Amino acid sequence: MLKVGLIGCGMIGKEHAKRIKYKIQGADLVAVCDVFEKSARAAAELVGGDVKVYTDADQMIHDPDVDAVVVTTPGNFHKSPVLSAIAAGKPVFTEKPLTTTAADCKEIVDAEMASGKHLVQVGFMRRYDRGYNQVREMIRSGGFGKPMILKCTHRAESVADDYSTEMAVTDTAIHEINVLPWLIGDHEEWDEVQVMFPRQTKNAHEGLRDPQLMMMKTKSGVICMVEVNVNCGFGYDINCEVVCEDGVINLPCPSFPTTRKNFEVATAIEKNWILRFIDSYDVELQDWVDHVAQGTTGGSSAWDGYTAAVTADALVRSQTTGAVEKVACGETPEFYR
Ligand code: ISE
């Protein structure tokens, strides 16, 4: 049984705490940690109270009762606990993004390589989503020819007041940055990217540029357009249309009953990302635990986290310059091939 300690007891932290405690096979939650003791205690209560409560991440990581670590703090606080877990030689699953800058991700990559062990898995859960996997298989089958254009939307009903223009890249589009090359079987990194700002929505809070159109081109010439629109007001709406040489494939939407009432035919849209990707999170954490049992990692590696961050840095630069920005990740180290 893998004894897991979790750091960061906010929204996704509480979800993962319950998931590890009640759903995942081969793992048990033994400790929770948050700088705010109240949050840590609330998470502990959610899972029945029978876990240690910490406010110091390092102490929890070095607790001999903790075999492996899950990091669910906000992205800009991932670096320190991930480095600390690597130093302790303990497997660590960190929520996306690995960190919010490429420089910080590089430190993690270097530390993991120096440790000589694959310890880090990054929580890009879309690679575990059933729909994305179905689309990927269709592309791999070759029956649709080569993909040429991807048209994606990443829409949310609304965001919190501390959500910034940069976060549209580092926190939101980071999913498409990670999942799209994997989806189309492109093993190289992105080549160039650009952000465009269309007319501003009246629904965004002051200081937030929303919506944003992100254009990303792979080295093989596939162009992806991602509409990030986080105050759309009607739900959490993830779409991805893959235009191939011999046909078009659309990512399935979550299925809801179609209703007929009041002279209207209607189908619901998912409310938020926790619900939209609930199954993907289950599969993802089970896969992490299964890999850890074999002494390996699955899903996205620290290198994937790094290349996503390099791409995000380029998009963030483009938010200011308006220009097409090059993405330069360098050679994939042998360790991650
Ligand atoms: C959130 O952290 C997620 O990971 C969601 O999938 C994404 O849609 C949202 O924009 C992020 O804030």
Side-chain angles (χ1 to χ4, degrees):
M1 184 67 74
L2 185 75
K3 291 180 280 169
V4 177
L6 177 141
I7 303 165
C9 299
M11 186 165 43
I12 189 72
K14 288 193 193 117
E15 288 293 317
H16 283 352
K18 285 189 285 177
R19 191 166 269 121
I20 294 162
K21 189 77 186 175
Y22 301 120
K23 283 193 178 168
I24 304 298
Q25 308 288 311
D28 191 20
L29 188 73
V30 296
V32 291
C33 173
D34 199 290
V35 279
F36 301 108
E37 191 180 337
K38 215 173 144 197
S39 302
R41 294 215 172 274
E45 260 168 47
L46 262 185
V47 294
D50 188 21
V51 292
K52 293 189 193 172
V53 171
Y54 282 94
T55 52
D56 183 299
D58 267 342
Q59 276 178 15
M60 193 208 80
I61 291 166
H62 289 97
D63 181 333
D65 276 345
V66 170
D67 301 328
V69 178
V70 168
V71 178
T72 44
T73 58
N76 50 335
F77 296 112
H78 287 175
K79 180 171 113 175
S80 158
V82 172
L83 284 176
S84 182
I86 295 172
K90 297 189 180 180
V92 52
F93 173 93
T94 175
E95 257 311 324
K96 47 60 63 175
L98 177 54
T99 67
T100 46
T101 68
D104 283 351
C105 288
K106 189 68 183 13
E107 269 187 61
I108 293 174
V109 159
D110 289 343
E112 187 182 37
M113 285 199 292
S115 82
K117 281 184 262 166
H118 288 272
L119 293 170
V120 183
Q121 182 169 330
V122 186
F124 283 116
M125 78 297 189
R126 290 196 188 180
R127 293 192 185 193
Y128 292 94
D129 178 72
R130 185 152 181 262
Y132 276 105
N133 277 283
Q134 289 169 325
V135 175
R136 185 167 187 255
E137 277 315 308
M138 286 179 170
I139 296 171
R140 275 155 77 104
S141 74
F144 287 80
K146 292 204 179 83
M148 303 177 295
I149 302 169
L150 274 69
K151 297 187 236 167
C152 308
T153 71
H154 195 148
R155 301 183 182 128
E157 188 201 357
S158 63
V159 283
D161 286 346
D162 60 358
Y163 185 97
S164 64
T165 299
E166 269 190 22
M167 283 168 72
V169 174
T170 59
D171 199 51
T172 299
I174 197 82
H175 284 293
E176 278 80 9
I177 293 172
N178 171 266
V179 82
L180 297 181
W182 169 88
L183 183 75
I184 60 174
D186 197 320
H187 299 296
E188 296 205 68
E189 285 98 35
W190 294 101
D191 183 25
E192 49 187 36
V193 297
Q194 185 179 20
V195 177
M196 281 187 252
F197 294 112
R199 172 186 277 169
Q200 171 80 6
T201 171
K202 65 179 187 337
N203 300 325
H205 59 252
E206 213 183 310
L208 173 64
R209 296 297 306 261
D210 185 47
Q212 302 184 28
L213 189 62
M214 302 183 194
M215 313 286 290
M216 310 194 283
K217 193 171 170 190
T218 66
K219 292 209 170 89
S220 54
V222 180
I223 293 189
C224 306
M225 294 178 268
V226 184
E227 170 201 320
V228 175
N229 179 0
V230 293
N231 288 282
C232 76
F234 58 75
Y236 187 74
D237 191 30
I238 303 300
N239 295 285
C240 176
E241 179 173 293
V242 186
V243 182
C244 303
E245 293 165 308
D246 301 319
V248 173
I249 312 170
N250 275 283
L251 180 73
C253 289
S255 62
F256 286 101
T258 303
T259 57
R260 285 170 168 76
K261 200 178 171 189
N262 298 334
F263 308 97
E264 206 173 78
V265 180
T267 314
I269 294 181
E270 198 55 274
K271 285 198 171 54
N272 58 46
W273 47 274
I274 298 258
L275 296 171
R276 167 68 178 83
F277 288 107
I278 196 160
D279 299 336
S280 322
Y281 287 123
D282 291 348
V283 181
E284 175 186 46
L285 276 178
Q286 186 63 62
D287 190 55
W288 173 62
V289 168
D290 294 346
H291 273 88
V292 168
Q294 308 289 321
T296 57
T297 53
S300 296
S301 67
W303 181 256
D304 294 322
Y306 165 72
T307 59
V310 173
T311 312
D313 278 2
L315 280 162
V316 168
R317 277 200 305 281
S318 180
Q319 285 180 326
T320 312
T321 62
V324 174
E325 298 282 345
K326 277 279 176 196
V327 179
C329 300
E331 275 283 292
T332 310
E334 198 53 48
F335 185 80
Y336 292 107
R337 283 211 190 117

